[in-house]
Amino acid sequence: VDVPADLSTAKSSNEDEDDDDEWEYEEFETLDENDFFNSEWKVGTVLESSGETIDETWFRLITTEEGENLAIWGDGAKGKWSLDVNAQFFSISKETFGGWLGKKIWAGGVDDFYYLQGSVRGWSPLQPASVLGQWQAKRLGVDPDEAGGAPRVG
């Protein structure tokens, strides 16, 4: 039996071609807070308590003169938003009247300029913090052809 001196040369050309097919170059852009200032988003939320009903609304991300990141929701509610640039993690909150009805936070990883998605967590004075559902948002006011299709949820 002939055994090559260098086992790395024993690889066939077919195996080399197969390895090339497995790798796909994907461009990734690191986003920062400037990419979110004064943007508007349409968000669909599916809460576990509502079955498969999608609750749609919008939110606007602004920054106050004091530098605070403020979220204005379609139903008039307010909250705060933040982006952890190093982790590429986005979160936005929705406050209730005086906090008496609790708080909800929409949060998830950021890997697209045009789409966001993640889970909804929340709590109230009568319930502990828990995961309440899932959400997806798309940026408004952009060219749909440039944005492309929304990511699929598994």
Side-chain angles (χ1 to χ4, degrees), residues 1-151:
V1 176
D2 288 332
V3 177
D6 181 9
L7 291 178
S8 64
T9 61
K11 214 178 199 188
S12 74
S13 62
N14 286 342
E15 287 179 23
D16 288 338
E17 289 174 15
D18 289 344
D19 287 344
D20 292 340
D21 292 340
E22 292 177 22
W23 295 97
E24 182 177 323
Y25 178 76
E26 188 158 329
E27 189 175 327
F28 184 81
E29 179 180 344
T30 300
L31 300 173
D32 62 25
E33 284 190 344
N34 291 326
D35 294 313
F36 292 91
F37 291 149
N38 297 321
S39 62
E40 291 187 358
W41 299 79
K42 180 179 180 180
V43 61
T45 304
V46 178
L47 298 176
E48 291 177 1
S49 63
S50 66
E52 295 194 15
T53 304
I54 300 173
D55 179 31
E56 290 186 353
T57 188
W58 59 268
F59 58 81
R60 180 178 298 129
L61 305 175
I62 63 172
T63 301
T64 65
E65 291 180 8
E66 296 81 30
E68 181 181 26
N69 292 340
L70 187 63
I72 309 295
W73 288 84
D75 62 2
K78 293 185 179 175
K80 296 180 181 179
W81 67 274
S82 68
L83 175 69
D84 182 335
V85 176
N86 292 330
Q88 291 291 280
F89 190 82
F90 176 83
S91 66
I92 181 172
S93 67
K94 187 174 187 180
E95 308 287 339
T96 59
F97 179 71
W100 288 101
L101 299 176
K103 184 177 193 177
K104 290 181 183 167
I105 298 175
W106 285 250
V110 176
D111 57 5
D112 194 312
F113 181 80
Y114 302 101
Y115 297 97
L116 298 171
Q117 62 184 357
S119 61
V120 182
R121 295 173 289 142
W123 60 90
S124 72
L126 302 176
Q127 291 181 320
S130 62
V131 174
L132 304 175
Q134 297 180 354
W135 63 278
Q136 274 193 330
K138 71 176 184 175
R139 186 183 291 260
L140 298 175
V142 296
D143 180 13
D145 292 331
E146 184 179 326

